[in-house]
Amino acid sequence: HNIVFTKTGYTTEQTTASVVAGKTISVNVQMNPTEKKAAIELNPSSLNFGTNQTDLSVTITNNGNSNAEWSINLGNNNWLSVSEMAGSIQPGRTQSLVFTVDRNYLSEQKSVVVNFHAFGNSYPLTISCAPGNAKSEMSIEPKILDFGSNDTEKNLTIRNTGTTSLNWTANDITEKSLTLSASEGTVAAGGSSVIKVMLDRNQLTGQLNTTFTITDGVRSEVITVTANGSGGTEIPSDIVETKGLRAYFPFNGNLDDLAENTLYGFVNPEATYINGVVGGTKALSFSRKDETTFSVNDGMIDRTSMSVCFWIKNIDEGNIFWVTSSNESDGHKEMMCLSYTKGQLRYVMNRFYLAVSWYDLGYFTHKAINDGEWHHIALVSDFNNQNVDHVTTTLYVDGIQMDSIKEEYGAYNEKDTSKRHFDTGVKFSMGGANTPNMSIANLRTYTLKLTANQIKAIYEAKQ
């Protein structure tokens, strides 16, 4: 027979005995007292009161086999108190302690370690708190990382211009060729932290346009990453009218720029393509509901002489494109806007005229373009040349000149840094919050004025 001996507080022992009928059998075992131990767990092991929390809890769990007497030493921290300074906890039980801060005793951010003592052991608990008027302020630079054709590593600086520490995390990294040296971290008040963004070019199959976000829990910053996977581009020989070509985005199922300047465009939300101008090509679709936006971090058309042309289909009312200026001293930053309203194309260069609704100017007279067919649109613009102190813009539709408009703009404005428009563009955008439903193909911009014959050649080539 197998005999098991148990007693609370002692080890369990077992032995065997042979039993004979009518006889008494004696069995001897030695049972030793069990080792008393208390395995204490604190959850969480740190408390951050930030700038507005006043009470936070810690749970004590005794995972051992014996009662544990415990105590807390808060040290010389008169701004901190706890609901109980000492006590006992039975095996398998939990207790909750409430820590409270009094910011009347705080003039700066504090981070201290208090010790929880139990069963001869010490368990550290980190407690942080900031004055009520303290806050972190996150800024990131640069917000655009252009790896070009050869770079594999870029630095990103996260600054904290606030008065308390800043905790940040990086999210939404979906591109497998992209990695960060750190995905989260803490920046001290007034400090900065540099993280490395690394690109594995072996995983690139073409041009890269992607984004990820960095957040501090209050605000998020979008970081744009671009790269050329082909090691540089040359203008294909079959493209017509390449002199002065600043950018050429065919939107043929991708966002590649075929001009030798290799600008990078990106779409938000994800790009949608439809059948293009000719068979076998594609075009970029814009949705008013989705607020589709195509952007290039370059002014593209912010020159005193420029041309821009593209193919368009199924247009309704809204802003087709505009340029964001780095000059905001006059209170406005959107300029050089082409829109479609009341059945007419409208182009306004001046930031102030765009912002003030009663300046109802810039309308072209032209043939209908909302008939469900593809139409080629070209604008040729000149400042202070054809007409002194005016911007003169000529519209071509399907290779034919339709109309010219003049917009008053004194040359003296360009000498005043607070009023300057030309060469101040930092972004070219199509669509956006007021985008029309439309499809766009073969977007081109030039740093010169195209002639009527050049525009006709582009139209006839259906490029």
Side-chain angles (χ1 to χ4, degrees), residues 269-305:
E270 186 176 353
T272 301
Y273 298 96
I274 66 165
N275 291 331
V277 180
V278 297
T281 64
K282 297 293 183 181
L284 184 61
S285 178
F286 289 76
S287 165
R288 180 185 299 276
K289 178 182 177 182
D290 295 336
E291 298 184 354
T292 307
T293 308
F294 169 75
S295 299
V296 179
N297 291 307
D298 184 89
M300 295 245 287
I301 61 171
D302 62 335
R303 308 295 194 271
T304 54
S305 293

Side-chain angles (χ1 to χ4, degrees), residues 144-184:
I144 300 169
L145 300 175
D146 181 4
F147 284 82
S149 301
N150 301 301
D151 292 346
T152 58
E153 186 176 293
K154 295 286 184 180
N155 288 339
L156 196 64
T157 302
I158 304 173
R159 300 186 187 280
N160 179 10
T161 58
T163 56
T164 188
S165 61
L166 178 148
N167 297 314
W168 62 268
T169 57
N171 302 312
D172 306 322
I173 302 175
T174 58
E175 173 57 47
K176 63 182 182 180
S177 63
L178 209 61
T179 56
L180 274 62
S181 59
S183 59
E184 61 182 17

Side-chain angles (χ1 to χ4, degrees), residues 243-283:
K243 182 179 179 180
L245 185 62
R246 173 63 178 160
Y248 180 21
F249 293 93
F251 298 135
N252 190 21
N254 56 54
L255 302 177
D256 292 348
D257 172 23
L258 300 188
E260 58 189 4
N261 298 297
T262 316
L263 296 176
Y264 297 95
F266 49 94
V267 171
N268 186 41
E270 186 176 353
T272 301
Y273 298 96
I274 66 165
N275 291 331
V277 180
V278 297
T281 64
K282 297 293 183 181

